[in-house]
Amino acid sequence: MEKPYRRRDLLGIRDLTAAEINGILDTAENFREINAREIKKVPTLRGKTVINLFFENSTRTRTSFELAAKRLSADAVNISVSSSSVTKGETILDTALNLDAMQPDCIVVRHSSAGVPHQLAKVSKAAIVNAGDGANEHPTQALLDAMTIREHKKKIKGLDVAIVGDILHSRVARSNIHLLTKLGAKVRVAGPGTLVPGDFQHLVDKGLEVCPHVEDAILGADVVMILRIQRERQDSAYFPTLREYSIHYGLTNERLDLAKKDAIVLHPGPMNRGIEISSDVADSSRSLILDQVKYGVAVRMAVLYLSTGGSMVSA
Ligand code: CP
């Protein structure tokens, strides 16, 4: 059964209802099999134009948005900020307005400052999709994480999910906390006290628990999500050394044994082996890190389709 999707922009998970999140995931399920075909192309977005405007580095998100657009037959254009007129002093807003004047249907934007996609959405005729804004949100990452969890656990409601690491600087953590609590999971976060924000208290009655020790968060978990130390967003020392961080907070097989026997391990990437996660864990059968990347293409196909006027489908 089809339901209208009334949102043009995807700026964050915070704005979405549980029904909308499930609708995007169901739509992504429908697109998934296209990526397994020998000829990975359908005409769904023929004639549409998608611009990828990334002011921060990316491997997974930018590539998968480009693949998603191309597999749906949209024209995809990647703007390299280092060779754009931003280097001559043009503002972000002027850059976006000039790109918008070329009448694209969707602009996918990543920026180191929180709120940039929201500003662009106010002035742009094209749909704006947030591909990560500072430490605020990374909505398509949370959606692909949810797709991975749904695939392997067959549900999200009632699961115990541990999110461990640099919560303070993590847009992935924020989007995941919103998504998982909206869908009825119990979320436990842990990390160095300096890297767990105090402003999470308002989410406690929505299913979030802040744990003093990483072991408390992992104990009995169905899903263990490990986050990278975001050194590019840290303006001071939040812990003594990376070696100490690894000893006290890194996910090893011993720590993972505290979780349920069939617990799965997620990491949004890029991962720093030997710091937040051991190679033993990252390469184990419990790690679904590459599945996350695989589902990222289907999720971004769904988001581009819905943002350019497509209708949600129920699985
Ligand atoms: N997970 C993620 O956003 O990875 P990239 O920075 O490579 O896009």
Side-chain angles (χ1 to χ4, degrees), residues 54 56-64 110 131-132 138 140-141 144-145 171-172 228 232-233 267-270 292-293 300:
F54 277 55
E56 271 192 335
N57 292 341
S58 169
T59 296
R60 283 145 287 266
T61 313
R62 194 167 81 165
T63 308
S64 57
R110 169 173 285 192
H138 191 349
T140 56
Q141 178 69 46
L144 71 89
D145 292 340
R171 54 198 179 205
V172 174
R228 181 174 64 89
E232 71 275 25
R233 294 188 217 292
H267 189 309
Q292 292 172 265
V293 178
R300 286 161 182 140

Side-chain angles (χ1 to χ4, degrees), residues 16-258:
L16 302 182
T17 63
E20 286 175 315
I21 294 167
N22 281 321
I24 297 172
L25 294 174
D26 292 344
T27 306
E29 286 293 346
N30 273 27
F31 282 124
R32 208 173 110 181
E33 61 86 21
I34 296 166
N35 298 307
R37 293 183 192 173
E38 196 178 338
I39 308 293
K40 301 173 178 58
K41 209 166 185 78
V42 293
T44 311
L45 293 188
R46 193 164 54 200
K48 304 277 186 189
T49 307
V50 176
I51 296 181
N52 280 326
L53 179 59
F54 277 55
F55 292 88
E56 271 192 335
N57 292 341
S58 169
T59 296
R60 283 145 287 266
T61 313
R62 194 167 81 165
T63 308
S64 57
F65 266 115
E66 185 177 353
L67 283 176
K70 287 180 169 167
R71 288 180 184 176
L72 293 176
S73 299
D75 293 312
V77 179
N78 291 318
I79 308 290
S80 166
V81 169
S82 61
S83 60
S84 74
S85 291
V86 170
T87 58
K88 300 176 197 164
E90 188 167 60
T91 66
I92 300 162
L93 204 58
D94 282 332
T95 301
L97 285 171
N98 278 268
L99 294 173
D100 197 43
M102 297 178 211
Q103 299 178 290
D105 298 281
C106 182
I107 300 176
V108 179
V109 63
R110 169 173 285 192
H111 198 279
S112 58
S113 294
V116 165
H118 307 70
Q119 284 180 332
L120 300 192
K122 286 185 188 147
V123 297
S124 167
K125 292 188 192 70
I128 299 292
V129 173
N130 182 358
D133 63 323
N136 181 37
E137 282 229 36
H138 191 349
T140 56
Q141 178 69 46
L143 288 162
L144 71 89
D145 292 340
M147 192 169 176
T148 309
I149 295 170
R150 252 183 27 166
E151 171 69 15
H152 289 269
K153 295 287 171 194
K154 307 299 173 207
K155 63 173 187 175
I156 290 184
K157 192 176 170 73
L159 292 181
D160 288 306
V161 181
I163 305 181
V164 174
D166 179 359
I167 312 290
L168 181 66
H169 299 101
S170 176
R171 54 198 179 205
V172 174
R174 277 176 188 73
S175 287
N176 263 296
I177 289 167
H178 288 301
L179 186 150
L180 292 165
T181 55
K182 279 173 196 256
L183 295 195
K186 286 171 275 173
V187 182
R188 300 194 290 262
V189 296
T194 49
L195 291 175
V196 179
D199 68 352
F200 276 176
Q201 284 312 318
H202 68 285
L203 288 167
V204 167
D205 57 355
K206 295 191 174 153
L208 180 75
E209 187 184 344
V210 179
C211 296
H213 304 291
V214 61
E215 290 79 7
D216 300 328
I218 295 174
L219 189 66
D222 298 285
V223 179
V224 181
M225 185 181 296
I226 299 298
L227 302 174
R228 181 174 64 89
I229 294 294
Q230 309 245 324
R231 276 180 283 178
E232 71 275 25
R233 294 188 217 292
Q234 297 183 2
D235 49 12
S236 59
Y238 287 86
F239 49 87
T241 63
L242 286 177
R243 187 173 143 67
E244 281 195 54
Y245 180 88
S246 166
I247 290 168
H248 294 294
Y249 302 100
L251 186 65
T252 57
N253 273 322
E254 292 69 40
R255 285 205 172 100
L256 184 55
D257 282 345
L258 295 169

